[in-house]
Amino acid sequence: MSPDASLLGPGTPPLADLLQHAFDSRVVRELPGDPDERNVVREVRGASWTRVVPSPVRAPRLLAWSDELGERLGIARPPVADAPAVQVLAGNALVPGMTPFAARYGGHQFGNWAGQLGDGRAITLGEVRARDGQPWELQLKGAGRTPYSRHADGRAVLRSSLREFLCSEAMHALGVPTTRALSLVATGEPVVRDMFYDGNPQAEPGAIVCRAAPSFLRFGNFEIHAAHGEDALLRTLAEHVIAHHYPELDRAAPQRHADWFAAVARRTARMVAEWMRVGFVHGVMNTDNMSILGLTIDYGPYGWLEDYDPGWTPNTTDAAGRRYCFGNQPQIALWNLARLAGALRGLVGDDAALQRGLEEYRETFRHEYLRLHAAKLGLASLGRDGDEALLGELFTLLAAAETDLTLFFRGLARLVAAPARDESALLGPLRAAFYDAGGPSEAHGRELLGWLRRYLARAAADDGDAATRRERMDRVNPLYVPRNWLAQQAIDAATEGDLSVLERLLAVLRRPYDERAGDEAFAARRPEWARHRPGCSALSCSS
Ligand code: AMP
Ligand code: MG
């Protein structure tokens, strides 16, 4: 249902077809572009972006649309799967004012400088003005080759595109800073991928996601300029980002670049603390996948923790080193910020100030993590003696026996609201969280009970009644998250032409905190069949 425009306030533009919108691009207007417009793979120098048009696809069809984001941007859902707007969302047509480009960036991949990367398959179409007046970039992922495609084809497969579409929107509903997704379009063309890297490439259906964000700039956009001594470009890029995306900063202050770096650090800290709250594992935290706005970006082989295991990484390429496992994410973000700081040294000219920015990351992360985890436990804060130890002991216990992170915290809220008088029944609300059908072993159960007793005593020492506590917990502990196997079921159905599974899942994930009768299946533990199935337990980068 579209809300009446008048409900959004006077002057709010009504929803309009994508073709009716005016487009602009602050990147194109303000940042130096590549004078060379040849769309051939090459090293680009002295520019922040390269003009490139999407490569047409054979038979585009709209598979999914985000009404929520469409409402925000003022873009109406295309009325039919092959509407004219879908041609634009597939890269077959442009709207006047669009100046499509691929951004130039580099990055540190798995700890090493990788040189030029850039938008190898993502093409930004331009900016549309949202109904609140804010400009948002629309970008097609999988829109064909660019000068940054290296050896790859510029395309994306349906499975990974559907996963990006679904997870961006789910993350937004969870309250995690993220880029968004407006549409998922099938290209009608096959894409060949060696999903298992075992020399057996297969043709898979191709797709394009239209992503949206205030900006898709990454740490790597700064790193590439620094790597080539492009000091003026680096400065221009920084001023652009500060002016448009960090309005809270004083642009006249002499130390504004250092202030800005600290602000990037704080936003990054808040983002990662949110990942830890909901159990999200990005999977490829290379510096080219770190948004300069502190948004979750580039959904690839990401995953959701089901049984709590801080060493888990969904990315098969990362299986040996586990660099990007759940528990490492806070450290890796700091490492990435240190690479950004390295790129900004010349601009800031004050290493101590950059060091303080990194310190702000540590402090902000710690503060946010404790704040969010206090809320997860229904406590006003984790500031009392012994509180942090209590939290640490809980995670040791969760890791000791396969325990579903999401279901545990929801169960804990029920338990704390109405603890059973009888010890043997105390664990009742937590039963659904144990992967072993028999429940916890006797020894583990005893330890857990010991922890629960201490926790209940601690909770009782806080002000507030049990019902309020539960309500507070249920607002930060989601019940419905895009579990890997749920996404896989939507992929399997969509591959067969059935989009109802995706639509239903998306509707459930739009309201992740309210328990609803009829949606139990979406809050279930990972079923046994999904334990080792590719796409459910481990994901390859081939997308
Ligand atoms: P990612 O690991 O997905 O963040 O990608 C790393 C780099 O590889 C980026 O420069 C991407 O644009 C590029 N890339 C990934 N997949 C493709 C593809 N199919 N075609 C062209 N470039 C790609
Ligand atoms: Mg990337």
Side-chain angles (χ1 to χ4, degrees), residues 105 141 211 218 288-289 297-298:
Y105 57 80
K141 183 167 173 182
R211 315 198 280 194
R218 304 132 192 273
D288 53 301
N289 291 336
I297 192 172
D298 275 12

Side-chain angles (χ1 to χ4, degrees), residues 177-515:
T178 181
T179 62
R180 304 288 304 273
L182 182 63
S183 63
L184 173 68
V185 168
T187 59
E189 292 180 6
V191 172
V192 175
R193 287 287 181 274
D194 187 356
M195 181 168 156
F196 301 107
Y197 298 122
D198 62 357
N200 284 307
Q202 303 277 327
E204 299 185 44
I208 294 175
V209 174
C210 178
R211 315 198 280 194
S215 169
F216 286 96
L217 290 167
R218 304 132 192 273
F219 290 9
N221 294 84
F222 295 86
E223 289 180 278
I224 195 79
H225 291 323
H228 294 288
E230 297 163 346
D231 298 348
L233 270 178
L234 182 70
R235 175 176 293 270
T236 307
L237 184 61
E239 300 298 358
H240 171 93
V241 167
I242 293 169
H244 298 302
H245 305 294
Y246 286 82
E248 67 272 28
L249 299 180
D250 176 3
R251 286 169 62 198
Q255 79 291 358
R256 66 185 178 284
H257 297 124
D259 290 349
W260 165 63
F261 176 70
V264 174
R266 290 193 299 271
R267 284 199 201 175
T268 304
R270 285 195 283 271
M271 171 188 79
V272 178
E274 292 286 358
W275 292 358
M276 304 310 278
R277 169 175 70 87
V278 298
F280 174 77
V281 193
H282 183 284
V284 210
M285 289 177 71
N286 294 330
T287 57
D288 53 301
N289 291 336
M290 296 292 293
S291 147
I292 201 71
L293 305 194
L295 305 172
T296 313
I297 192 172
D298 275 12
Y299 292 87
Y302 68 84
W304 288 79
L305 272 195
E306 294 192 279
D307 59 290
Y308 176 76
D309 172 3
W312 183 67
T313 174
N315 184 353
T316 51
T317 311
D318 190 34
R322 297 186 184 270
R323 178 180 173 86
Y324 297 142
C325 69
F326 180 71
N328 275 1
Q329 296 186 119
Q331 260 319 106
I332 292 290
L334 177 61
W335 191 89
N336 289 341
L337 281 161
R339 302 289 77 72
L340 178 62
L344 300 179
R345 279 186 78 189
L347 177 70
V348 172
D350 179 352
D351 287 358
L354 288 169
Q355 203 55 48
R356 284 197 296 280
L358 295 175
E359 203 45 55
E360 285 210 35
Y361 170 84
R362 280 203 192 84
E363 281 162 22
T364 308
F365 177 77
R366 187 180 142 73
H367 179 268
E368 284 299 291
Y369 184 86
L370 290 177
R371 184 180 70 80
L372 294 172
H373 278 77
K376 283 178 82 68
L377 291 172
L379 303 175
S381 84
L382 282 170
R384 297 191 186 197
D385 275 354
D387 280 357
E388 288 185 45
L390 190 71
L391 182 66
E393 288 159 27
L394 172 61
F395 283 124
T396 304
L397 284 168
L398 294 184
E402 261 190 315
T403 316
D404 192 274
L405 182 71
T406 299
L407 294 176
F408 183 89
F409 277 98
R410 289 296 287 208
L412 193 64
R414 285 188 11 239
L415 186 153
V416 76
R421 301 225 176 280
D422 178 359
E423 281 254 307
S424 65
L426 197 61
L427 290 179
L430 301 175
R431 293 250 167 235
F434 298 113
Y435 277 85
D436 185 336
S441 70
E442 207 194 306
H444 187 64
R446 252 198 324 274
E447 284 195 59
L448 205 50
L449 275 177
W451 184 87
L452 283 172
R453 265 188 246 108
R454 276 173 283 139
Y455 163 66
L456 288 172
R458 170 63 183 85
D462 258 13
D463 290 340
D465 60 289
T468 316
R469 180 167 295 127
R470 175 174 178 184
E471 207 189 290
R472 199 161 61 201
M473 290 170 82
D474 283 352
R475 278 204 302 266
V476 291
N477 294 311
L479 178 58
Y480 309 103
V481 294
R483 292 170 182 270
N484 311 309
W485 59 277
L486 289 172
Q488 188 59 43
Q489 287 182 325
I491 292 166
D492 291 344
T495 306
E496 299 299 317
D498 173 8
L499 295 163
S500 65
V501 179
L502 171 61
E503 276 163 23
R504 178 83 206 287
L505 179 56
L506 185 61
V508 168
L509 296 175
R510 285 265 178 236
R511 288 160 60 212
Y513 299 102
D514 318 333
E515 185 167 358

Side-chain angles (χ1 to χ4, degrees), residues 117-121 149-150 152-155 193 288-289 298:
L117 299 166
D119 286 332
R121 56 171 168 175
S149 299
R150 297 178 290 160
D153 59 4
R155 294 300 186 190
R193 287 287 181 274
D288 53 301
N289 291 336
D298 275 12

